[in-house]
Amino acid sequence: MTGAPAPELPVRRAAVERAAVELAGTLALTVGVRGDRCIATSQYHQGALRILRPHYLDDTGQVCYVVVNPGGGYVGGDEYEINIAVETDARLLLTTQSATKVYRTPGTRAEQRTHIRLGPNASLESVPDPLIAYRGATYRQATVVEMHGSASLVMAEIVTPGWSPDGALFGYDEIRLRNEISVDGRLAVLDNLLIRPLTGAAPIDGMAFLEDYTHVGSLLVMDARVDAALLNELHEELLPLAGACNLGLSLLDGGLAVRALSHATEPLDAVIRAGIDFLRFRWHGQPRLNLRKY
């Protein structure tokens, strides 16, 4: 652990260390402002989670951190916990070094829990590589965000089926992604995506579900600057990329949601990156996102 926990949004090291005894991996990071740059004021990791040294993609002072899982993937019984705090006026871009791979989970699922706290005028862009679920995988991901009304959150996710020996795309058992976002202590968004391909109760090729699509992408944005006019502009920006996917945009209470379906990862990545680039330039004058992972 480096530095001292910030008094405003501290990472509770003692609690993290106690929890780490039973976790496959845990990570805690607090980001604040020092001078003209954002830096980690506190960080801690244990087990199969690491974070690479910070780097800066442009001259705005926004810091970029890359999360790494040296173990190569999640298996049955693995539990991971991530705690992120972004202090007043700080800006964090969080990504992963590679795709999150979930392998067979016989007997019990793999799970990741993430808790995010955003202070006044804080900003977090979460842009991980895709989640890949392989044959026989059951995975649950729960993200809880507590943010100040002046904070900004941009959170992306792509789910793709992994390779299966019999060639079946949907070889995994279950994927559940739950996002719970509170603004100034009030629940603003509860987004729950559940895919169970093999139950037969809700076939993934059925009408009003995934139909014949195999990949799912989403972008959740919570920011007081979002309104109907911005949503319409974003729709016009993304429309030229919608040929290879089924695209939908929705206005939320204090934010917006983009969800897209496709037969491959690349069209979804193009749509999500275009949406992020649009917002980064509009709000911060930043160039297109170019993640250098090393």
Side-chain angles (χ1 to χ4, degrees):
M1 183 171 180
T2 60
E8 180 185 19
L9 291 170
V11 170
R12 299 183 292 275
R13 177 173 179 176
V16 169
E17 289 179 330
R18 286 195 301 271
V21 175
E22 300 178 356
L23 295 173
T26 186
L27 173 68
L29 174 69
T30 300
V31 170
V33 180
R34 297 295 182 270
D36 60 354
R37 280 191 166 190
C38 300
I39 65 168
T41 60
S42 174
Q43 64 183 77
Y44 171 85
H45 62 79
Q46 175 85 17
L49 282 179
R50 298 287 189 275
I51 196 163
L52 300 183
R53 66 182 180 86
H55 57 281
Y56 299 84
L57 304 182
D58 51 44
D59 59 1
T60 62
Q62 180 190 41
V63 65
C64 177
Y65 275 99
V66 180
V67 178
V68 179
N69 183 340
Y74 295 5
V75 296
D78 279 358
E79 292 187 36
Y80 297 84
E81 189 165 289
I82 299 174
N83 287 275
I84 303 295
V86 186
E87 299 173 349
T88 300
D89 296 325
R91 297 188 60 220
L92 169 63
L93 172 61
L94 193 65
T95 186
T96 54
Q97 187 181 46
S98 60
T100 298
K101 302 178 180 68
V102 185
Y103 298 109
R104 290 177 64 91
T105 56
T108 183
R109 65 177 179 265
E111 183 171 347
Q112 177 174 293
R113 299 182 294 273
T114 302
H115 187 195
I116 298 169
R117 300 182 299 281
L118 305 180
N121 297 312
S123 170
L124 171 64
E125 291 173 293
S126 176
V127 192
D129 284 306
L131 168 67
I132 304 176
Y134 289 87
R135 183 180 182 181
T138 297
Y139 176 70
R140 182 170 296 179
Q141 179 175 292
T143 302
V144 176
V145 181
E146 299 173 272
M147 57 186 292
H148 189 274
S150 61
S152 177
L153 173 70
V154 176
M155 193 160 59
E157 191 78 66
I158 294 177
V159 179
T160 174
W163 176 85
S164 178
D166 61 5
L169 284 172
F170 287 99
Y172 58 84
D173 293 340
E174 177 182 300
I175 296 293
R176 182 191 293 269
L177 306 179
R178 178 184 171 92
N179 297 308
E180 182 179 321
I181 305 173
S182 297
V183 180
D184 289 336
R186 178 183 63 85
L187 180 63
V189 174
L190 181 58
D191 179 45
N192 190 41
L193 174 65
L194 173 62
I195 308 175
R196 287 177 178 158
L198 304 180
T199 62
I204 55 174
D205 58 350
M207 186 63 67
F209 201 68
L210 296 190
E211 298 183 354
D212 64 338
Y213 294 103
T214 54
H215 296 57
V216 184
S218 64
L219 182 67
L220 278 175
V221 179
M222 294 300 294
D223 192 296
R225 292 168 288 188
V226 173
D227 57 18
L230 185 139
L231 183 74
N232 290 334
E233 288 186 54
L234 180 59
H235 180 262
E236 293 300 317
E237 186 77 15
L238 301 184
L239 199 56
L241 302 172
C245 60
N246 194 338
L247 178 66
L249 289 81
S250 301
L251 191 64
L252 306 176
D253 182 10
L256 63 87
V258 178
R259 185 147 291 167
L261 306 174
S262 184
H263 299 287
T265 301
E266 290 75 13
L268 299 181
D269 187 66
V271 166
I272 289 174
R273 292 297 182 94
I276 293 172
D277 290 341
F278 172 84
L279 296 173
R280 285 168 62 85
F281 183 78
R282 168 64 63 89
W283 290 339
H284 306 288
Q286 289 176 286
R288 295 177 62 183
L289 188 61
N290 181 20
L291 292 173
R292 304 190 300 270
K293 301 182 180 182
Y294 50 85

Short mmCIF file of all heavy atoms in Angstrom, two decimals, residues 100 128-133 139 141 156-162 170 172 174-177 193 195 210 213-218 259-265 268 272:
data_model
loop_
_atom_site.label_atom_id
_atom_site.label_comp_id
_atom_site.label_asym_id
_atom_site.label_seq_id
_atom_site.Cartn_x
_atom_site.Cartn_y
_atom_site.Cartn_z
N THR A 100 -11.47 -10.75 -19.89
CA THR A 100 -11.76 -11.54 -18.70
C THR A 100 -12.32 -12.88 -19.15
O THR A 100 -13.40 -12.94 -19.73
CB THR A 100 -12.77 -10.83 -17.79
OG1 THR A 100 -12.21 -9.58 -17.35
CG2 THR A 100 -13.11 -11.68 -16.58
N PRO A 128 -13.28 -1.96 -19.86
CA PRO A 128 -12.56 -3.24 -19.85
C PRO A 128 -12.60 -3.93 -21.21
O PRO A 128 -13.45 -3.61 -22.05
CB PRO A 128 -13.33 -4.05 -18.81
CG PRO A 128 -14.74 -3.53 -18.92
CD PRO A 128 -14.59 -2.05 -19.21
N ASP A 129 -11.68 -4.86 -21.42
CA ASP A 129 -11.78 -5.73 -22.58
C ASP A 129 -12.96 -6.68 -22.38
O ASP A 129 -13.51 -6.79 -21.28
CB ASP A 129 -10.48 -6.51 -22.74
CG ASP A 129 -9.36 -5.65 -23.32
OD1 ASP A 129 -9.58 -5.04 -24.37
OD2 ASP A 129 -8.28 -5.58 -22.70
N PRO A 130 -13.37 -7.39 -23.43
CA PRO A 130 -14.59 -8.21 -23.33
C PRO A 130 -14.54 -9.29 -22.26
O PRO A 130 -13.47 -9.77 -21.88
CB PRO A 130 -14.70 -8.83 -24.73
CG PRO A 130 -13.98 -7.89 -25.63
CD PRO A 130 -12.84 -7.36 -24.81
N LEU A 131 -15.72 -9.66 -21.79
CA LEU A 131 -15.91 -10.82 -20.92
C LEU A 131 -16.20 -12.03 -21.82
O LEU A 131 -17.16 -12.01 -22.59
CB LEU A 131 -17.07 -10.57 -19.97
CG LEU A 131 -17.60 -11.76 -19.18
CD1 LEU A 131 -16.57 -12.27 -18.19
CD2 LEU A 131 -18.91 -11.40 -18.48
N ILE A 132 -15.37 -13.07 -21.72
CA ILE A 132 -15.54 -14.27 -22.54
C ILE A 132 -15.89 -15.44 -21.63
O ILE A 132 -15.12 -15.79 -20.73
CB ILE A 132 -14.25 -14.59 -23.32
CG1 ILE A 132 -13.83 -13.40 -24.18
CG2 ILE A 132 -14.47 -15.82 -24.19
CD1 ILE A 132 -12.51 -13.62 -24.92
N ALA A 133 -17.05 -16.03 -21.85
CA ALA A 133 -17.50 -17.17 -21.05
C ALA A 133 -17.40 -18.44 -21.89
O ALA A 133 -17.98 -18.52 -22.97
CB ALA A 133 -18.93 -16.95 -20.57
N TYR A 139 -21.08 -17.35 -14.26
CA TYR A 139 -20.37 -16.16 -13.78
C TYR A 139 -21.37 -15.11 -13.33
O TYR A 139 -22.39 -14.87 -13.98
CB TYR A 139 -19.50 -15.60 -14.90
CG TYR A 139 -18.79 -14.32 -14.55
CD1 TYR A 139 -17.75 -14.30 -13.61
CD2 TYR A 139 -19.14 -13.11 -15.15
CE1 TYR A 139 -17.08 -13.12 -13.31
CE2 TYR A 139 -18.48 -11.94 -14.86
CZ TYR A 139 -17.45 -11.94 -13.93
OH TYR A 139 -16.80 -10.77 -13.63
N GLN A 141 -21.42 -11.05 -11.92
CA GLN A 141 -20.68 -9.80 -11.74
C GLN A 141 -21.63 -8.75 -11.17
O GLN A 141 -22.65 -8.42 -11.79
CB GLN A 141 -20.10 -9.33 -13.08
CG GLN A 141 -19.33 -8.03 -13.01
CD GLN A 141 -18.68 -7.71 -14.33
OE1 GLN A 141 -17.76 -8.38 -14.78
NE2 GLN A 141 -19.17 -6.68 -15.00
N ALA A 156 -18.51 0.68 -19.65
CA ALA A 156 -18.73 -0.16 -20.83
C ALA A 156 -18.61 -1.63 -20.48
O ALA A 156 -17.93 -2.00 -19.51
CB ALA A 156 -17.75 0.21 -21.93
N GLU A 157 -19.24 -2.48 -21.29
CA GLU A 157 -19.16 -3.94 -21.10
C GLU A 157 -19.51 -4.64 -22.40
O GLU A 157 -20.46 -4.24 -23.09
CB GLU A 157 -20.11 -4.39 -20.00
CG GLU A 157 -19.92 -5.83 -19.55
CD GLU A 157 -18.72 -5.98 -18.62
OE1 GLU A 157 -18.75 -5.45 -17.51
OE2 GLU A 157 -17.76 -6.66 -19.04
N ILE A 158 -18.73 -5.68 -22.75
CA ILE A 158 -19.05 -6.54 -23.89
C ILE A 158 -18.99 -7.99 -23.41
O ILE A 158 -18.02 -8.39 -22.76
CB ILE A 158 -18.06 -6.34 -25.06
CG1 ILE A 158 -18.20 -4.94 -25.66
CG2 ILE A 158 -18.29 -7.40 -26.14
CD1 ILE A 158 -17.20 -4.64 -26.77
N VAL A 159 -20.02 -8.77 -23.73
CA VAL A 159 -20.09 -10.19 -23.37
C VAL A 159 -20.05 -11.01 -24.65
O VAL A 159 -20.84 -10.77 -25.58
CB VAL A 159 -21.37 -10.50 -22.58
CG1 VAL A 159 -21.43 -12.00 -22.25
CG2 VAL A 159 -21.45 -9.66 -21.32
N THR A 160 -19.13 -11.98 -24.69
CA THR A 160 -19.00 -12.80 -25.89
C THR A 160 -18.84 -14.27 -25.49
O THR A 160 -18.20 -14.58 -24.49
CB THR A 160 -17.79 -12.34 -26.73
OG1 THR A 160 -17.59 -13.25 -27.82
CG2 THR A 160 -16.53 -12.29 -25.90
N PRO A 161 -19.43 -15.20 -26.23
CA PRO A 161 -19.24 -16.62 -25.93
C PRO A 161 -17.88 -17.11 -26.37
O PRO A 161 -17.36 -16.69 -27.40
CB PRO A 161 -20.37 -17.30 -26.73
CG PRO A 161 -20.62 -16.37 -27.87
CD PRO A 161 -20.36 -14.98 -27.35
N GLY A 162 -17.29 -17.99 -25.57
CA GLY A 162 -15.98 -18.54 -25.91
C GLY A 162 -16.08 -19.79 -26.77
O GLY A 162 -17.17 -20.30 -27.04
N PHE A 170 -23.06 -20.77 -27.64
CA PHE A 170 -23.57 -20.56 -26.30
C PHE A 170 -23.35 -21.80 -25.45
O PHE A 170 -24.27 -22.48 -25.03
CB PHE A 170 -25.06 -20.19 -26.34
CG PHE A 170 -25.30 -18.79 -26.82
CD1 PHE A 170 -25.67 -18.56 -28.12
CD2 PHE A 170 -25.12 -17.70 -25.99
CE1 PHE A 170 -25.90 -17.27 -28.58
CE2 PHE A 170 -25.33 -16.41 -26.44
CZ PHE A 170 -25.72 -16.20 -27.74
N TYR A 172 -21.77 -21.71 -22.49
CA TYR A 172 -21.74 -21.41 -21.07
C TYR A 172 -23.11 -21.63 -20.43
O TYR A 172 -24.13 -21.67 -21.11
CB TYR A 172 -21.23 -19.99 -20.81
CG TYR A 172 -22.03 -18.88 -21.47
CD1 TYR A 172 -23.18 -18.37 -20.89
CD2 TYR A 172 -21.60 -18.31 -22.68
CE1 TYR A 172 -23.88 -17.34 -21.48
CE2 TYR A 172 -22.29 -17.29 -23.28
CZ TYR A 172 -23.43 -16.79 -22.67
OH TYR A 172 -24.13 -15.79 -23.27
N GLU A 174 -24.44 -19.82 -17.47
CA GLU A 174 -25.15 -18.62 -17.02
C GLU A 174 -24.20 -17.44 -16.90
O GLU A 174 -23.09 -17.57 -16.41
CB GLU A 174 -25.83 -18.86 -15.66
CG GLU A 174 -26.54 -17.63 -15.10
CD GLU A 174 -27.16 -17.87 -13.73
OE1 GLU A 174 -28.01 -18.77 -13.63
OE2 GLU A 174 -26.76 -17.18 -12.76
N ILE A 175 -24.68 -16.28 -17.35
CA ILE A 175 -24.00 -15.01 -17.14
C ILE A 175 -25.01 -14.05 -16.50
O ILE A 175 -26.10 -13.86 -17.03
CB ILE A 175 -23.48 -14.40 -18.46
CG1 ILE A 175 -22.42 -15.29 -19.09
CG2 ILE A 175 -22.94 -12.99 -18.23
CD1 ILE A 175 -21.14 -15.36 -18.31
N ARG A 176 -24.63 -13.45 -15.38
CA ARG A 176 -25.48 -12.45 -14.74
C ARG A 176 -24.63 -11.21 -14.45
O ARG A 176 -23.62 -11.28 -13.74
CB ARG A 176 -26.08 -12.96 -13.43
CG ARG A 176 -27.02 -11.94 -12.76
CD ARG A 176 -27.38 -12.37 -11.34
NE ARG A 176 -28.21 -13.57 -11.34
CZ ARG A 176 -29.54 -13.55 -11.36
NH1 ARG A 176 -30.19 -12.40 -11.40
NH2 ARG A 176 -30.21 -14.68 -11.33
N LEU A 177 -25.03 -10.08 -15.03
CA LEU A 177 -24.35 -8.81 -14.81
C LEU A 177 -25.35 -7.85 -14.17
O LEU A 177 -26.38 -7.53 -14.77
CB LEU A 177 -23.84 -8.23 -16.13
CG LEU A 177 -22.93 -9.13 -16.98
CD1 LEU A 177 -22.53 -8.40 -18.26
CD2 LEU A 177 -21.70 -9.54 -16.20
N LEU A 193 -28.71 -7.94 -16.23
CA LEU A 193 -28.70 -8.75 -17.45
C LEU A 193 -28.44 -10.20 -17.06
O LEU A 193 -27.43 -10.51 -16.43
CB LEU A 193 -27.60 -8.26 -18.40
CG LEU A 193 -27.37 -9.09 -19.66
CD1 LEU A 193 -28.59 -9.06 -20.57
CD2 LEU A 193 -26.13 -8.60 -20.42
N ILE A 195 -28.40 -14.16 -18.70
CA ILE A 195 -28.45 -15.04 -19.87
C ILE A 195 -28.23 -16.46 -19.40
O ILE A 195 -27.18 -16.79 -18.84
CB ILE A 195 -27.39 -14.67 -20.93
CG1 ILE A 195 -27.45 -13.18 -21.27
CG2 ILE A 195 -27.58 -15.51 -22.18
CD1 ILE A 195 -26.35 -12.73 -22.21
N LEU A 210 -32.29 -12.31 -27.35
CA LEU A 210 -31.15 -12.05 -28.22
C LEU A 210 -31.44 -12.39 -29.68
O LEU A 210 -30.62 -12.13 -30.55
CB LEU A 210 -29.93 -12.85 -27.76
CG LEU A 210 -29.35 -12.52 -26.39
CD1 LEU A 210 -28.02 -13.23 -26.18
CD2 LEU A 210 -29.17 -11.03 -26.23
N TYR A 213 -28.67 -13.23 -32.29
CA TYR A 213 -27.38 -12.60 -31.98
C TYR A 213 -26.65 -13.36 -30.89
O TYR A 213 -27.26 -14.06 -30.08
CB TYR A 213 -27.59 -11.14 -31.55
CG TYR A 213 -28.13 -10.27 -32.66
CD1 TYR A 213 -29.47 -9.90 -32.70
CD2 TYR A 213 -27.29 -9.82 -33.68
CE1 TYR A 213 -29.97 -9.10 -33.72
CE2 TYR A 213 -27.78 -9.02 -34.70
CZ TYR A 213 -29.11 -8.66 -34.71
OH TYR A 213 -29.60 -7.88 -35.73
N THR A 214 -25.33 -13.20 -30.85
CA THR A 214 -24.51 -13.97 -29.92
C THR A 214 -23.70 -13.11 -28.96
O THR A 214 -23.20 -13.61 -27.96
CB THR A 214 -23.54 -14.87 -30.70
OG1 THR A 214 -22.79 -14.05 -31.63
CG2 THR A 214 -24.29 -15.94 -31.47
N HIS A 215 -23.52 -11.82 -29.28
CA HIS A 215 -22.68 -10.93 -28.50
C HIS A 215 -23.50 -9.74 -28.01
O HIS A 215 -24.34 -9.22 -28.77
CB HIS A 215 -21.50 -10.42 -29.33
CG HIS A 215 -20.55 -11.50 -29.77
ND1 HIS A 215 -20.94 -12.59 -30.52
CD2 HIS A 215 -19.21 -11.64 -29.57
CE1 HIS A 215 -19.88 -13.35 -30.77
NE2 HIS A 215 -18.83 -12.80 -30.20
N VAL A 216 -23.23 -9.28 -26.80
CA VAL A 216 -23.98 -8.18 -26.19
C VAL A 216 -23.00 -7.09 -25.75
O VAL A 216 -22.00 -7.38 -25.09
CB VAL A 216 -24.79 -8.64 -24.96
CG1 VAL A 216 -25.62 -7.49 -24.41
CG2 VAL A 216 -25.67 -9.82 -25.31
N GLY A 217 -23.29 -5.86 -26.09
CA GLY A 217 -22.48 -4.73 -25.65
C GLY A 217 -23.36 -3.68 -24.99
O GLY A 217 -24.51 -3.49 -25.38
N SER A 218 -22.82 -3.03 -23.98
CA SER A 218 -23.60 -1.98 -23.30
C SER A 218 -22.69 -0.85 -22.87
O SER A 218 -21.49 -1.03 -22.61
CB SER A 218 -24.34 -2.55 -22.09
OG SER A 218 -23.43 -3.02 -21.12
N ARG A 259 -27.29 -0.06 -25.72
CA ARG A 259 -27.15 -1.52 -25.75
C ARG A 259 -27.17 -1.97 -27.21
O ARG A 259 -27.98 -1.47 -28.01
CB ARG A 259 -28.25 -2.21 -24.96
CG ARG A 259 -28.07 -3.71 -24.87
CD ARG A 259 -28.59 -4.27 -23.56
NE ARG A 259 -27.77 -3.88 -22.43
CZ ARG A 259 -28.15 -4.02 -21.16
NH1 ARG A 259 -29.31 -4.55 -20.88
NH2 ARG A 259 -27.36 -3.63 -20.20
N ALA A 260 -26.28 -2.90 -27.52
CA ALA A 260 -26.16 -3.36 -28.90
C ALA A 260 -25.97 -4.86 -28.92
O ALA A 260 -25.36 -5.45 -28.02
CB ALA A 260 -24.99 -2.66 -29.59
N LEU A 261 -26.49 -5.50 -29.97
CA LEU A 261 -26.36 -6.93 -30.19
C LEU A 261 -25.68 -7.17 -31.53
O LEU A 261 -25.91 -6.44 -32.49
CB LEU A 261 -27.74 -7.60 -30.20
CG LEU A 261 -28.65 -7.38 -28.99
CD1 LEU A 261 -30.02 -8.00 -29.23
CD2 LEU A 261 -28.01 -7.95 -27.74
N SER A 262 -24.83 -8.20 -31.58
CA SER A 262 -24.12 -8.47 -32.82
C SER A 262 -23.71 -9.94 -32.86
O SER A 262 -23.96 -10.70 -31.92
CB SER A 262 -22.88 -7.56 -32.92
OG SER A 262 -22.22 -7.76 -34.15
N HIS A 263 -23.07 -10.32 -33.97
CA HIS A 263 -22.55 -11.67 -34.13
C HIS A 263 -21.05 -11.73 -33.87
O HIS A 263 -20.45 -12.80 -34.00
CB HIS A 263 -22.83 -12.17 -35.55
CG HIS A 263 -24.29 -12.24 -35.88
ND1 HIS A 263 -25.13 -13.19 -35.36
CD2 HIS A 263 -25.06 -11.44 -36.67
CE1 HIS A 263 -26.37 -12.99 -35.82
NE2 HIS A 263 -26.34 -11.94 -36.61
N ALA A 264 -20.45 -10.60 -33.53
CA ALA A 264 -19.01 -10.56 -33.31
C ALA A 264 -18.67 -9.42 -32.35
O ALA A 264 -19.49 -8.53 -32.11
CB ALA A 264 -18.27 -10.37 -34.64
N THR A 265 -17.46 -9.46 -31.82
CA THR A 265 -17.02 -8.46 -30.87
C THR A 265 -16.73 -7.12 -31.53
O THR A 265 -17.04 -6.06 -30.99
CB THR A 265 -15.75 -8.95 -30.13
OG1 THR A 265 -16.04 -10.16 -29.45
CG2 THR A 265 -15.27 -7.92 -29.13
N LEU A 268 -19.42 -4.32 -31.91
CA LEU A 268 -19.80 -3.78 -30.61
C LEU A 268 -18.72 -2.86 -30.06
O LEU A 268 -19.01 -1.79 -29.51
CB LEU A 268 -20.08 -4.91 -29.62
CG LEU A 268 -21.19 -5.88 -29.99
CD1 LEU A 268 -21.35 -6.94 -28.91
CD2 LEU A 268 -22.50 -5.14 -30.21
N ILE A 272 -19.22 1.12 -29.05
CA ILE A 272 -18.95 1.60 -27.69
C ILE A 272 -17.82 2.61 -27.68
O ILE A 272 -17.90 3.66 -27.02
CB ILE A 272 -18.65 0.41 -26.77
CG1 ILE A 272 -19.94 -0.38 -26.52
CG2 ILE A 272 -18.04 0.87 -25.45
CD1 ILE A 272 -19.74 -1.66 -25.75
#
